Amino acid sequence: MTVIHAETALLPQGLRRDVRIVLSGGAIDSVEAGAAAQAGDERHRFVLPAMPNLHSHAFQRAMAGLAETRGRGEDSFWSWRTVMYRFALSMTPDHVEAVAAQLYMEMLEAGFGRVGEFHYLHHDADGGAYADPAEMAARIAAASAEAGIGLTLLPVFYAHSGFGAAAPAEGQRRFIHDPDGFARLMRRAGEIVSSLPGGRLGIAPHSLRAVAPDELAAILPLAGGGPVHIHAAEQVREVEDCLAWSGARPVEWLLENAPVDARWCLIHATHMTGRESRALGASGAVAGLCPVTEANLGDGIFDAPTFLAAGGRFGVGSDSNIRIALDEELRTLEYTQRLSRRSRNVVAEPGGSTGLALFSHALQGGAQALGVPAGIAAGGPADLASLDLSAAPWLPAEQALDHFVFAGGVGIDSVWVGGRREVEGGRHRRRDAIAARFNAAMADLISRQPG
Ligand code: NGQ
Ligand code: ZN
């Protein structure tokens, strides 16, 4: 049994002083505020729930920073995607496992305790299935277990290159299933996830570009009550193509034709009309925002005020994994709102801290989207983080999250997942071994890229 004593803790009721958190068997046994520390307690200045990272494509971490040279023609999301596909084709299961372990370690060091892996690199480089159709999913699971991050595995169904069931492109061959093959993958994925402590399973129809309506209907029952994630309305061209195909915009189409509810998470949902924002907000679904990737790929800016006014829920994800930084995801979200509206403190309620509002929304929405309970409460998973306030000993607790998100000088000290401390002093306990394997995999991968 571990007992954590926090000078300040972020509880579901808000910030509280002198909080004793008793952990046992991977869960939180009890939480008591206004309690003095006892001998043997681990003492921390500021404890908060570890953040769920609701959207990741782990393999893309390998190309972070390698697609920042300007192309000869138009450089856009679509030309980035061509480069990304080429990179994906060069990766073996060993590469994927090494890269994912490094990525998940970095997520833990950033304050994330669980990842929603939107997993679509399924097949061998020639497009054929591996002997185990869930070979790559098993590698993702092994990487999550090695790093010690909670995994919500979201196997992706991908069948087409565009609206109207267009045939898949050559470069997409490692992603493709028919509904029967996908059902086999889901069965194996269920076995893999149930062998992980805290493992959860959901389903991810990739996008309305990649999944036809009859296929969407066929695969949804495979979610079995788990979360359903789908990319929607990230790019303007995607909205235009969807309109040309169906007469409706992507979010509008989903709200009218799919059973969108609190089990669903619409990734990006960047380009919505006011009507769509309000309807999605009222649906109970989560908007899966990926602010750093959306900035990196030039996607556009989410309309947070309209969505939040309708009761909308959001979480954050690191998506392309161009950079793993919880503070930067939250800051980028708020700053894009400020820049586009020429305003300040947009996401907070009047009188409230913006850092606290961003963190609290992302925690609730992220947990909902990954199928787990949120917050530090008895019975919940012991997924916690503590802040390092040593560089700002004078900082009032009420402003600690504002400093973490905006000002800096406050970082992550420790992270516990299922009661186990994976990060201490900002460093993962297996950093050296995981990084050494990652560096060897990267050297090999780089040597495989065409010059
Ligand atoms: C993905 N990533 O699935 O990795 C996508 C690119 C696509 C982002 N949308 C592929 N950020 O959307 O077709
Ligand atoms: Zn994505």
Side-chain angles (χ1 to χ4, degrees), residues 120-211:
Y120 67 89
L121 188 59
H122 299 303
H123 305 311
D124 204 347
D126 66 6
Y130 288 107
D132 174 358
E135 169 76 34
M136 284 291 204
R139 299 307 192 106
I140 292 292
S144 77
E146 181 174 13
I149 200 166
L151 177 67
T152 297
L153 181 65
L154 303 159
V156 173
F157 179 81
Y158 201 114
H160 306 288
S161 65
F163 292 97
E170 251 319 283
Q172 297 169 330
R173 60 186 180 270
R174 298 188 77 174
F175 321 153
I176 305 299
H177 282 101
D178 60 23
D180 289 341
F182 186 69
R184 285 192 288 280
L185 170 66
M186 284 298 292
R187 273 197 296 280
R188 277 286 295 132
E191 292 164 15
I192 290 166
V193 163
S194 59
S195 74
L196 293 172
R200 296 277 184 284
L201 184 65
I203 194 178
H206 181 275
S207 56
L208 292 176
R209 285 179 275 125
V211 183

Side-chain angles (χ1 to χ4, degrees), residues 40 105 115 125 154 163 192 194 198 206 254 309 349 362 391 398 412 423:
M105 170 175 81
V115 60
L154 303 159
F163 292 97
I192 290 166
S194 59
H206 181 275
L254 283 166
E349 298 289 338
E398 288 67 26
I412 297 294
V423 174

Side-chain angles (χ1 to χ4, degrees), residues 258-284:
V260 175
D261 62 14
R263 285 168 49 227
W264 284 63
C265 179
L266 271 59
I267 304 299
H268 307 301
T270 309
H271 299 287
M272 297 194 286
T273 61
R275 234 180 104 227
E276 286 177 296
S277 290
R278 287 186 289 275
L280 183 65
S283 75

Side-chain angles (χ1 to χ4, degrees), residues 197-247:
R200 296 277 184 284
L201 184 65
I203 194 178
H206 181 275
S207 56
L208 292 176
R209 285 179 275 125
V211 183
D214 57 326
E215 293 159 343
L216 182 61
I219 65 166
L220 280 180
L222 298 172
V228 180
H229 288 219
I230 185 167
H231 291 116
E234 178 182 14
Q235 282 279 319
V236 169
R237 195 176 103 191
E238 173 195 343
V239 175
E240 290 165 355
D241 290 353
C242 190
L243 275 164
W245 164 65
S246 68

